[in-house]
Amino acid sequence: KIDRYLVSGIAQDTYQQATMRAIRLLADQVHADLVAEGVDNDEDLKTLRTMNIWAAGGLTPDLTLLFDLPVATGLRRRQRDAAGQNRLDRETKRFHENVRSGFLQLARKEPRRIKQVNAARSPDRIADNVRMLVLEWLEKHRPQTGRKR
C-alpha cells in the first residue's frame, strides 16, 4: 500500500515520481502488488496511469472487467474464507472504499475499455454478464474478412 503522502500532488513533484518508480521496481522484483491510496484529483490519476504504462512496458488491456460490489459485502465474503485471508483483508473499510472509488473513477474515464460487472449478484448472473460483455467486445473487434486490398 502506497501512502497518500506519496501520491497526493505527484503530478507536480518529480521526487515523488522517482520514489514511485523505485517502489514499483522493487515491488516487481519481489512479486508484490501495489495499491495507491488517496488519488484525489485527475492530474495525480493521470500521472499514476502514465507511470503504470511505463512500468508495464506500454501494455494496456483492450478489455478490463471491473467486478464491483459494496465494500461491506466484499469484506463479509472475504471473512468467510479465513484461511485465504491476506494483508489487504486486514485493511480498514475506509481503505477499501478509497480503492473502490479509484477503480470506479477509472471506469468512468475509460468506459470503452473498462466494463463494470455487478458482483453483488449470484455467480450465475455474474457469469452471464461476463459472457455477454466478452462476446460483445469480440463482435466489435472481430477481424474483417473479405476486405479488398
Side-chain angles (χ1 to χ4, degrees):
K1 173 179 139 183
I2 299 171
D3 190 74
R4 167 183 306 275
Y5 169 79
L6 289 174
V7 175
S8 182
I10 194 170
Q12 291 84 29
D13 191 328
T14 55
Y15 174 76
Q16 284 176 280
Q17 292 173 25
T19 302
M20 286 293 294
R21 280 193 291 275
I23 291 169
R24 178 63 193 222
L25 288 171
L26 178 62
D28 287 346
Q29 291 298 311
V30 298
H31 307 288
D33 295 325
L34 291 178
V35 175
E37 180 182 329
V39 178
D40 294 326
N41 60 60
D42 290 342
E43 196 172 354
D44 289 346
L45 182 62
K46 181 180 177 185
T47 300
L48 286 171
R49 185 180 294 130
T50 300
M51 293 176 77
N52 190 50
I53 290 170
W54 167 80
L59 300 175
T60 302
D62 292 326
L63 175 64
T64 299
L65 299 178
L66 172 58
F67 292 83
D68 181 46
L69 72 161
V71 168
T73 304
L75 291 174
R76 274 194 309 276
R77 287 181 182 179
R78 292 296 299 152
Q79 288 171 351
R80 287 187 219 140
D81 180 22
Q85 296 277 307
N86 62 43
R87 61 185 168 75
L88 292 177
D89 295 314
R90 292 184 289 278
E91 289 291 345
T92 65
K93 184 177 178 185
R94 181 171 180 233
F95 167 83
H96 289 284
E97 287 169 348
N98 288 340
V99 170
R100 179 179 185 231
S101 176
F103 279 116
L104 292 173
Q105 185 178 3
L106 283 172
R108 282 191 299 275
K109 293 191 178 300
E110 298 185 52
R112 295 179 70 176
R113 181 177 74 83
I114 302 174
K115 304 298 182 186
Q116 286 183 248
V117 175
N118 181 350
R121 297 181 298 174
S122 72
D124 287 340
R125 300 259 331 258
I126 293 170
D128 289 343
N129 190 198
V130 167
R131 192 174 302 107
M132 180 199 65
L133 289 169
V134 171
L135 289 173
E136 283 177 3
W137 187 91
L138 289 170
E139 184 65 30
K140 287 179 186 175
H141 296 88
R142 182 185 334 178
Q144 299 296 316
T145 58
R147 281 194 268 172
K148 295 181 181 181
R149 292 183 180 199

